[in-house]
Amino acid sequence: MILIWMICILLAGGILCWLTAQKSAVLAKWIALLTVTADLLIACWLFRIYQAFPDNTSWFINYQTDWIPALGISFHVAMDGFSHVLLLLTFFLGILAVLCSWKEIREKTGFYFFNLLWTLAGISGVFIAMDMILFYFCWEVMLIPMYFLITIWGDARRRYAGFKFFIFTQVGSLLMLLSLLALYFIHGDQTGTYTFDYFSLLRTSTGSPVMMWIMLGFLIAFAIKLPVVPFHNWLPDAHGEAPTAGSLVLAGLLLKTGAYGIIRFVLPLFPESAAAIGPWMILLGVIGIIYGALLAFSQTDLKRLIAYTSVSHMGFVLVGIFSFSNIAMQGVVMQILTHGLSTGALFVMAGMLKERLHTRDITKMGGLWTAMPAMGGIAILFTMASAGLPALGNFIAEFFILLGTFTSHPTFSIIATLGLILSAVYSLRMMQKVFMGQQTATEPIRDISARELVIMAALSISIVALGLFPQPVIDTVQHLSTIHPLLHE
């Protein structure tokens, strides 16, 4: 029941924010902050249960009750170490998203925090839902509030970006729904039991050729959200036009639901089809690494530049997943966490600069180090993290992915390594354009505030801690090697 309470707290908190904002916008902000903080504390407390579980290899929380038994639909939620890590990331970044919005959002405050908390609730539900209809429901819940966040509180082209985001993700959702229904009926024909339960569907025979098409329906839905080239077109517009917290949630969490879906559903449910398509997916991942890095280097809009770095970094995730290597899978989980922290921090920094300079054009910036030395120092940390500097979390993640991929696909691994070089190039270009050179601003610019310092300090400590002490995360997700028959050392 504790997992259900975590979701209900977010849903209730969102409604309460909407209602109380009519009397006090400040009260709505505090309700949102306390709501997400409560869930983070609960998730931290669950570590005690996880550590007490034998061998840390199983689902240590598992709750199921009937929902629509006539159709084989249940309310089934469960948590293993992988889900737990992602929930911790969700609530941690959720707190920072609320803090980012403290001064930025000045209108429709209650409805804004309602949408933000319901987006977090949908994301949390995706990470724990073990009934496929419940999973699909949570997948849709996180889509609609994010659409409102972009179209109502975004920048000048927010409606265009919001519609593109909605259309791309909705097409993927419908493909997943069709594939889900096909899998439901095939499992029923094979076993005589019609159910949407994940653990039951794992026992479906997947040898028929039609399974490849069903798998592709799931894969395309997750690839759009990841995003995989050529399904990435919605990402730069959505990131560029979303409010700061929206960009943080998009980069840090929504993209990760795509990676989670591939790891949790595509590989275990369709092992033969996944193995057959694996080399092609690695090829797409390598293309995404190089293509995203080149486009990031050519951008002048700061938020679009950071958005294209996500395309490049998520290419490493795709390569690691379909290399079917245990060490690469550990790197994938680390990349999910560290990319959420480092790229999320860069988007927060971009929002701070936009608030002060009223522009995202890096050609109109420059020389900001003199006026903003504290933010400049923090920017160096996260640009170096994005470039994969040793002792920071991104290095561990990408090193593990490349090492695991090299054993089975050495050529792809070598080509993907070029992405590390290109990431250093676009990261240093961004740093030079924004903070170095001659100062272009004519008015005094204030440095980082106390609230902003808390946000960036939390992200800085996290990315350094993951770089120096990655073993706790690796131990937590070690069991993934036991539930995926394709993984090898």
mmCIF file of all heavy atoms in Angstrom, residues 214-243:
data_model
loop_
_atom_site.group_PDB
_atom_site.id
_atom_site.type_symbol
_atom_site.label_atom_id
_atom_site.label_comp_id
_atom_site.label_asym_id
_atom_site.label_seq_id
_atom_site.Cartn_x
_atom_site.Cartn_y
_atom_site.Cartn_z
ATOM 1 N N ILE A 214 4.665 -6.830 -32.832
ATOM 2 C CA ILE A 214 4.166 -6.386 -31.522
ATOM 3 C C ILE A 214 5.289 -5.693 -30.748
ATOM 4 O O ILE A 214 5.084 -4.646 -30.124
ATOM 5 C CB ILE A 214 3.608 -7.581 -30.738
ATOM 6 C CG1 ILE A 214 2.412 -8.191 -31.486
ATOM 7 C CG2 ILE A 214 3.208 -7.172 -29.329
ATOM 8 C CD1 ILE A 214 1.874 -9.445 -30.840
ATOM 9 N N MET A 215 6.480 -6.280 -30.789
ATOM 10 C CA MET A 215 7.613 -5.670 -30.115
ATOM 11 C C MET A 215 7.919 -4.286 -30.678
ATOM 12 O O MET A 215 8.215 -3.343 -29.925
ATOM 13 C CB MET A 215 8.836 -6.577 -30.255
ATOM 14 C CG MET A 215 10.076 -6.096 -29.506
ATOM 15 S SD MET A 215 11.109 -4.945 -30.442
ATOM 16 C CE MET A 215 11.709 -5.997 -31.751
ATOM 17 N N LEU A 216 7.817 -4.130 -31.987
ATOM 18 C CA LEU A 216 8.102 -2.832 -32.599
ATOM 19 C C LEU A 216 7.114 -1.761 -32.137
ATOM 20 O O LEU A 216 7.477 -0.589 -32.012
ATOM 21 C CB LEU A 216 8.070 -2.951 -34.127
ATOM 22 C CG LEU A 216 9.261 -3.671 -34.761
ATOM 23 C CD1 LEU A 216 9.047 -3.825 -36.265
ATOM 24 C CD2 LEU A 216 10.561 -2.916 -34.487
ATOM 25 N N GLY A 217 5.866 -2.146 -31.877
ATOM 26 C CA GLY A 217 4.901 -1.186 -31.359
ATOM 27 C C GLY A 217 5.331 -0.626 -30.015
ATOM 28 O O GLY A 217 5.280 0.588 -29.780
ATOM 29 N N PHE A 218 5.766 -1.530 -29.118
ATOM 30 C CA PHE A 218 6.295 -1.069 -27.830
ATOM 31 C C PHE A 218 7.571 -0.246 -28.023
ATOM 32 O O PHE A 218 7.740 0.823 -27.418
ATOM 33 C CB PHE A 218 6.606 -2.273 -26.932
ATOM 34 C CG PHE A 218 5.418 -2.878 -26.256
ATOM 35 C CD1 PHE A 218 4.766 -3.981 -26.801
ATOM 36 C CD2 PHE A 218 4.941 -2.347 -25.073
ATOM 37 C CE1 PHE A 218 3.672 -4.538 -26.171
ATOM 38 C CE2 PHE A 218 3.844 -2.905 -24.428
ATOM 39 C CZ PHE A 218 3.204 -4.000 -24.981
ATOM 40 N N LEU A 219 8.468 -0.755 -28.859
ATOM 41 C CA LEU A 219 9.777 -0.132 -29.014
ATOM 42 C C LEU A 219 9.674 1.281 -29.580
ATOM 43 O O LEU A 219 10.365 2.203 -29.116
ATOM 44 C CB LEU A 219 10.659 -1.004 -29.908
ATOM 45 C CG LEU A 219 12.098 -0.534 -30.110
ATOM 46 C CD1 LEU A 219 12.826 -0.440 -28.770
ATOM 47 C CD2 LEU A 219 12.838 -1.479 -31.054
ATOM 48 N N ILE A 220 8.804 1.475 -30.572
ATOM 49 C CA ILE A 220 8.662 2.807 -31.162
ATOM 50 C C ILE A 220 8.113 3.796 -30.136
ATOM 51 O O ILE A 220 8.557 4.947 -30.063
ATOM 52 C CB ILE A 220 7.761 2.743 -32.411
ATOM 53 C CG1 ILE A 220 8.475 1.989 -33.539
ATOM 54 C CG2 ILE A 220 7.378 4.146 -32.890
ATOM 55 C CD1 ILE A 220 7.613 1.727 -34.750
ATOM 56 N N ALA A 221 7.154 3.347 -29.330
ATOM 57 C CA ALA A 221 6.606 4.230 -28.286
ATOM 58 C C ALA A 221 7.696 4.669 -27.320
ATOM 59 O O ALA A 221 7.787 5.848 -26.952
ATOM 60 C CB ALA A 221 5.492 3.511 -27.534
ATOM 61 N N PHE A 222 8.543 3.737 -26.904
ATOM 62 C CA PHE A 222 9.610 4.080 -25.982
ATOM 63 C C PHE A 222 10.727 4.858 -26.676
ATOM 64 O O PHE A 222 11.361 5.722 -26.067
ATOM 65 C CB PHE A 222 10.165 2.815 -25.332
ATOM 66 C CG PHE A 222 9.146 2.046 -24.539
ATOM 67 C CD1 PHE A 222 9.066 0.658 -24.620
ATOM 68 C CD2 PHE A 222 8.258 2.706 -23.711
ATOM 69 C CE1 PHE A 222 8.129 -0.052 -23.883
ATOM 70 C CE2 PHE A 222 7.314 2.006 -22.962
ATOM 71 C CZ PHE A 222 7.246 0.624 -23.060
ATOM 72 N N ALA A 223 10.974 4.550 -27.956
ATOM 73 C CA ALA A 223 12.024 5.250 -28.700
ATOM 74 C C ALA A 223 11.664 6.715 -28.912
ATOM 75 O O ALA A 223 12.539 7.587 -28.902
ATOM 76 C CB ALA A 223 12.257 4.561 -30.048
ATOM 77 N N ILE A 224 10.383 7.006 -29.112
ATOM 78 C CA ILE A 224 9.955 8.403 -29.258
ATOM 79 C C ILE A 224 10.241 9.166 -27.975
ATOM 80 O O ILE A 224 10.715 10.312 -28.010
ATOM 81 C CB ILE A 224 8.457 8.472 -29.614
ATOM 82 C CG1 ILE A 224 8.226 7.965 -31.034
ATOM 83 C CG2 ILE A 224 7.922 9.894 -29.467
ATOM 84 C CD1 ILE A 224 6.760 7.838 -31.415
ATOM 85 N N LYS A 225 9.976 8.558 -26.840
ATOM 86 C CA LYS A 225 10.160 9.249 -25.570
ATOM 87 C C LYS A 225 11.637 9.323 -25.186
ATOM 88 O O LYS A 225 12.027 10.244 -24.442
ATOM 89 C CB LYS A 225 9.364 8.528 -24.473
ATOM 90 C CG LYS A 225 9.144 9.317 -23.201
ATOM 91 C CD LYS A 225 8.333 10.582 -23.410
ATOM 92 C CE LYS A 225 6.924 10.314 -23.790
ATOM 93 N NZ LYS A 225 6.079 9.825 -22.695
ATOM 94 N N LEU A 226 12.476 8.413 -25.708
ATOM 95 C CA LEU A 226 13.872 8.363 -25.235
ATOM 96 C C LEU A 226 14.676 9.631 -25.494
ATOM 97 O O LEU A 226 15.326 10.079 -24.522
ATOM 98 C CB LEU A 226 14.555 7.127 -25.843
ATOM 99 C CG LEU A 226 15.944 6.764 -25.319
ATOM 100 C CD1 LEU A 226 15.976 6.577 -23.831
ATOM 101 C CD2 LEU A 226 16.469 5.527 -26.033
ATOM 102 N N PRO A 227 14.780 10.283 -26.635
ATOM 103 C CA PRO A 227 14.275 9.921 -27.952
ATOM 104 C C PRO A 227 15.395 9.336 -28.820
ATOM 105 O O PRO A 227 16.566 9.619 -28.609
ATOM 106 C CB PRO A 227 13.852 11.276 -28.511
ATOM 107 C CG PRO A 227 14.866 12.216 -27.965
ATOM 108 C CD PRO A 227 15.318 11.650 -26.622
ATOM 109 N N VAL A 228 14.987 8.524 -29.793
ATOM 110 C CA VAL A 228 15.910 7.905 -30.726
ATOM 111 C C VAL A 228 15.780 8.610 -32.071
ATOM 112 O O VAL A 228 14.670 8.887 -32.527
ATOM 113 C CB VAL A 228 15.600 6.402 -30.880
ATOM 114 C CG1 VAL A 228 16.503 5.765 -31.931
ATOM 115 C CG2 VAL A 228 15.739 5.690 -29.533
ATOM 116 N N VAL A 229 16.908 8.925 -32.704
ATOM 117 C CA VAL A 229 16.875 9.442 -34.069
ATOM 118 C C VAL A 229 16.296 8.346 -34.959
ATOM 119 O O VAL A 229 16.719 7.193 -34.867
ATOM 120 C CB VAL A 229 18.307 9.817 -34.530
ATOM 121 C CG1 VAL A 229 18.305 10.268 -35.993
ATOM 122 C CG2 VAL A 229 18.884 10.911 -33.642
ATOM 123 N N PRO A 230 15.278 8.591 -35.790
ATOM 124 C CA PRO A 230 14.746 9.879 -36.240
ATOM 125 C C PRO A 230 13.464 10.319 -35.523
ATOM 126 O O PRO A 230 12.723 11.130 -36.075
ATOM 127 C CB PRO A 230 14.454 9.597 -37.708
ATOM 128 C CG PRO A 230 13.992 8.165 -37.702
ATOM 129 C CD PRO A 230 14.769 7.475 -36.618
ATOM 130 N N PHE A 231 13.180 9.790 -34.328
ATOM 131 C CA PHE A 231 11.949 10.145 -33.613
ATOM 132 C C PHE A 231 12.178 11.286 -32.608
ATOM 133 O O PHE A 231 11.358 11.501 -31.721
ATOM 134 C CB PHE A 231 11.406 8.925 -32.862
ATOM 135 C CG PHE A 231 11.180 7.724 -33.736
ATOM 136 C CD1 PHE A 231 11.933 6.571 -33.554
ATOM 137 C CD2 PHE A 231 10.230 7.735 -34.743
ATOM 138 C CE1 PHE A 231 11.729 5.452 -34.358
ATOM 139 C CE2 PHE A 231 10.023 6.626 -35.550
ATOM 140 C CZ PHE A 231 10.776 5.485 -35.358
ATOM 141 N N HIS A 232 13.266 12.010 -32.757
ATOM 142 C CA HIS A 232 13.675 13.005 -31.774
ATOM 143 C C HIS A 232 13.143 14.410 -32.067
ATOM 144 O O HIS A 232 13.370 15.326 -31.274
ATOM 145 C CB HIS A 232 15.201 13.088 -31.769
ATOM 146 C CG HIS A 232 15.749 13.716 -33.017
ATOM 147 N ND1 HIS A 232 15.722 13.075 -34.236
ATOM 148 C CD2 HIS A 232 16.292 14.939 -33.243
ATOM 149 C CE1 HIS A 232 16.238 13.873 -35.158
ATOM 150 N NE2 HIS A 232 16.595 15.011 -34.586
ATOM 151 N N ASN A 233 12.435 14.595 -33.169
ATOM 152 C CA ASN A 233 12.155 15.940 -33.665
ATOM 153 C C ASN A 233 11.378 16.809 -32.699
ATOM 154 O O ASN A 233 11.486 18.040 -32.713
ATOM 155 C CB ASN A 233 11.413 15.835 -35.005
ATOM 156 C CG ASN A 233 11.328 17.148 -35.723
ATOM 157 O OD1 ASN A 233 10.281 17.787 -35.760
ATOM 158 N ND2 ASN A 233 12.448 17.588 -36.292
ATOM 159 N N TRP A 234 10.592 16.188 -31.822
ATOM 160 C CA TRP A 234 9.804 16.966 -30.867
ATOM 161 C C TRP A 234 10.643 17.545 -29.742
ATOM 162 O O TRP A 234 10.262 18.547 -29.125
ATOM 163 C CB TRP A 234 8.725 16.069 -30.242
ATOM 164 C CG TRP A 234 9.290 14.936 -29.425
ATOM 165 C CD1 TRP A 234 9.632 13.691 -29.872
ATOM 166 C CD2 TRP A 234 9.605 14.954 -28.026
ATOM 167 N NE1 TRP A 234 10.135 12.930 -28.838
ATOM 168 C CE2 TRP A 234 10.123 13.683 -27.702
ATOM 169 C CE3 TRP A 234 9.489 15.911 -27.029
ATOM 170 C CZ2 TRP A 234 10.522 13.343 -26.422
ATOM 171 C CZ3 TRP A 234 9.895 15.588 -25.734
ATOM 172 C CH2 TRP A 234 10.405 14.310 -25.449
ATOM 173 N N LEU A 235 11.794 16.945 -29.478
ATOM 174 C CA LEU A 235 12.540 17.262 -28.266
ATOM 175 C C LEU A 235 13.100 18.684 -28.220
ATOM 176 O O LEU A 235 12.884 19.396 -27.229
ATOM 177 C CB LEU A 235 13.667 16.238 -28.078
ATOM 178 C CG LEU A 235 14.537 16.436 -26.834
ATOM 179 C CD1 LEU A 235 13.735 16.157 -25.579
ATOM 180 C CD2 LEU A 235 15.763 15.553 -26.887
ATOM 181 N N PRO A 236 13.818 19.162 -29.256
ATOM 182 C CA PRO A 236 14.386 20.517 -29.149
ATOM 183 C C PRO A 236 13.323 21.584 -28.965
ATOM 184 O O PRO A 236 13.534 22.545 -28.198
ATOM 185 C CB PRO A 236 15.136 20.687 -30.482
ATOM 186 C CG PRO A 236 15.405 19.293 -30.950
ATOM 187 C CD PRO A 236 14.234 18.487 -30.500
ATOM 188 N N ASP A 237 12.182 21.459 -29.643
ATOM 189 C CA ASP A 237 11.126 22.457 -29.500
ATOM 190 C C ASP A 237 10.513 22.408 -28.107
ATOM 191 O O ASP A 237 10.276 23.456 -27.488
ATOM 192 C CB ASP A 237 10.048 22.222 -30.563
ATOM 193 C CG ASP A 237 10.569 22.472 -31.971
ATOM 194 O OD1 ASP A 237 10.917 23.618 -32.285
ATOM 195 O OD2 ASP A 237 10.637 21.506 -32.752
ATOM 196 N N ALA A 238 10.243 21.206 -27.617
ATOM 197 C CA ALA A 238 9.642 21.087 -26.283
ATOM 198 C C ALA A 238 10.582 21.623 -25.209
ATOM 199 O O ALA A 238 10.175 22.377 -24.321
ATOM 200 C CB ALA A 238 9.280 19.632 -26.003
ATOM 201 N N HIS A 239 11.861 21.251 -25.293
ATOM 202 C CA HIS A 239 12.838 21.751 -24.327
ATOM 203 C C HIS A 239 13.007 23.256 -24.439
ATOM 204 O O HIS A 239 13.105 23.965 -23.438
ATOM 205 C CB HIS A 239 14.197 21.074 -24.559
ATOM 206 C CG HIS A 239 14.353 19.792 -23.816
ATOM 207 N ND1 HIS A 239 14.011 19.652 -22.496
ATOM 208 C CD2 HIS A 239 14.843 18.588 -24.208
ATOM 209 C CE1 HIS A 239 14.289 18.419 -22.105
ATOM 210 N NE2 HIS A 239 14.781 17.753 -23.125
ATOM 211 N N GLY A 240 13.070 23.744 -25.675
ATOM 212 C CA GLY A 240 13.332 25.156 -25.883
ATOM 213 C C GLY A 240 12.220 26.060 -25.398
ATOM 214 O O GLY A 240 12.469 27.166 -24.930
ATOM 215 N N GLU A 241 10.975 25.601 -25.488
ATOM 216 C CA GLU A 241 9.842 26.452 -25.144
ATOM 217 C C GLU A 241 9.288 26.198 -23.749
ATOM 218 O O GLU A 241 8.541 27.011 -23.231
ATOM 219 C CB GLU A 241 8.723 26.250 -26.180
ATOM 220 C CG GLU A 241 9.137 26.511 -27.612
ATOM 221 C CD GLU A 241 9.736 27.891 -27.812
ATOM 222 O OE1 GLU A 241 9.205 28.857 -27.226
ATOM 223 O OE2 GLU A 241 10.739 28.006 -28.542
ATOM 224 N N ALA A 242 9.616 25.086 -23.136
ATOM 225 C CA ALA A 242 9.069 24.764 -21.814
ATOM 226 C C ALA A 242 9.623 25.701 -20.751
ATOM 227 O O ALA A 242 10.726 26.253 -20.903
ATOM 228 C CB ALA A 242 9.401 23.312 -21.452
ATOM 229 N N PRO A 243 8.885 25.909 -19.665
ATOM 230 C CA PRO A 243 9.463 26.642 -18.526
ATOM 231 C C PRO A 243 10.629 25.858 -17.935
ATOM 232 O O PRO A 243 10.825 24.676 -18.262
ATOM 233 C CB PRO A 243 8.288 26.754 -17.550
ATOM 234 C CG PRO A 243 7.391 25.613 -17.903
ATOM 235 C CD PRO A 243 7.517 25.448 -19.388
#
